[in-house]
Amino acid sequence: DVKVTQSSRYLVKRTGEKVFLECVQDMDHENMFWYRQDPGLGLRLIYFSYDVKMKEKGDIPEGYSVSREKKERFSLILESASTNQTSMYLCASSTRTGHQPQHFGDGTRLSIL
Amino acid sequence: QKEVEQNSGPLSVPEGAIASLNCTYSDRGSQSFFWYRQYSGKSPELIMSIYSNGDKEDGRFTAQLNKASQYVSLLIRDSQPSDSATYLCAVNLNTGFQKLVFGTGTRLLVSP
């Protein structure tokens, strides 16, 4: 089974802090994704990566950056956290070959106070 | 027009009934389609994939795809209270990346 592990289930940070969310997958997947999910807005893609050191902006990249130094790890960084970044953050991975689905981690519920 | 559209619901069905969830998409070049189930406070879980026109069955679940009409549906037979969740439709855009576009989901309520 695919295993996508996010470092924290719940996280509370303060406005202006630099926040790191970590995601690790164990299936040697090329593609990794970061989403946020808010009530009524569904899943929105923040950034994705299709290879080590490669990154592409998604639909809502403002206020975020990412890092992919190793194939199995994809980090999301909130440079200066703001209250409107309070959300559920979901990491996913998929293989590049064929029409394969994405597999999600358990999510991190982030609160910015 | 949204790329992937779903009725937000809630769709209420009694236990044992068939639940029918629908999804339409705008990109005619889309090649793969997925249904995810998401319980409240949890992450999406893949339950069905479908790539060709027609029906695909897996246990109590049947996915149906009609590319000409650009819709995909999910049928849940013998619905159980444990099926109560939000069901997300996801479509793989016709790009080089495995990038999915998600609908906002349909909330299903199965009453005992």
Side-chain angles (χ1 to χ4, degrees), chain B residues 15 49 71 92 95 101:
Chain B
E15 185 175 356
S49 306
Y71 82 79
N92 192 324
T95 68
V101 177

Side-chain angles (χ1 to χ4, degrees), chain A residues 33 37 50 96 98-99 102 105, chain B residues 32 36 38 43 51 97-98:
Chain A
F33 307 83
Q37 187 174 33
Y50 54 91
R96 188 186 298 165
H99 303 287
Q102 293 176 16
Chain B
S32 51
Y36 289 82
Q38 187 174 25
S43 64
Y51 307 105
F97 304 117
Q98 298 293 322

Side-chain angles (χ1 to χ4, degrees), chain B residues 37-74:
Chain B
R37 177 176 62 198
Q38 187 174 25
Y39 292 113
S40 180
K42 302 295 186 181
S43 64
E45 171 194 11
L46 179 71
I47 53 173
M48 289 290 286
S49 306
I50 187 165
Y51 307 105
S52 304
N53 278 329
D55 295 1
K56 179 182 177 183
E57 187 175 318
D58 184 0
R60 294 186 297 113
F61 299 100
T62 299
Q64 299 175 317
L65 175 61
N66 184 324
K67 289 187 178 180
S69 300
Q70 294 174 247
Y71 82 79
V72 57
S73 61
L74 179 70

Side-chain angles (χ1 to χ4, degrees), chain A:
Chain A
D1 277 355
V2 176
K3 185 68 176 176
V4 180
T5 303
Q6 294 184 232
S7 53
S8 305
R9 287 299 309 278
Y10 301 94
L11 204 54
V12 180
K13 296 292 183 180
R14 297 215 172 266
T15 304
E17 280 192 71
K18 192 169 186 176
V19 181
F20 294 85
L21 301 183
E22 306 286 346
C23 176
V24 176
Q25 50 94 5
D26 67 356
M27 286 301 292
D28 201 35
H29 284 169
E30 294 84 2
N31 304 321
M32 296 188 75
F33 307 83
W34 274 107
Y35 296 88
R36 63 177 283 177
Q37 187 174 33
D38 302 286
L41 297 177
L43 280 162
R44 293 182 290 168
L45 182 64
I46 305 171
Y47 267 98
F48 66 101
S49 169
Y50 54 91
D51 205 345
V52 175
K53 297 192 184 295
M54 305 302 291
K55 60 183 179 183
E56 294 285 337
K57 291 181 180 180
D59 301 317
I60 52 163
E62 297 78 19
Y64 303 94
S65 62
V66 290
S67 173
R68 188 149 181 220
E69 296 297 318
K70 293 184 178 182
K71 190 175 186 179
E72 68 271 18
R73 185 180 297 269
F74 192 34
S75 303
L76 179 69
I77 304 153
L78 285 66
E79 297 291 345
S80 178
S82 63
T83 55
N84 63 12
Q85 291 178 311
T86 292
S87 187
M88 169 73 98
Y89 289 87
L90 290 158
C91 175
S93 73
S94 70
T95 184
R96 188 186 298 165
T97 56
H99 303 287
Q100 298 302 311
Q102 293 176 16
H103 300 272
F104 286 86
D106 288 338
T108 296
R109 188 163 293 280
L110 175 64
S111 296
I112 307 296
L113 305 179

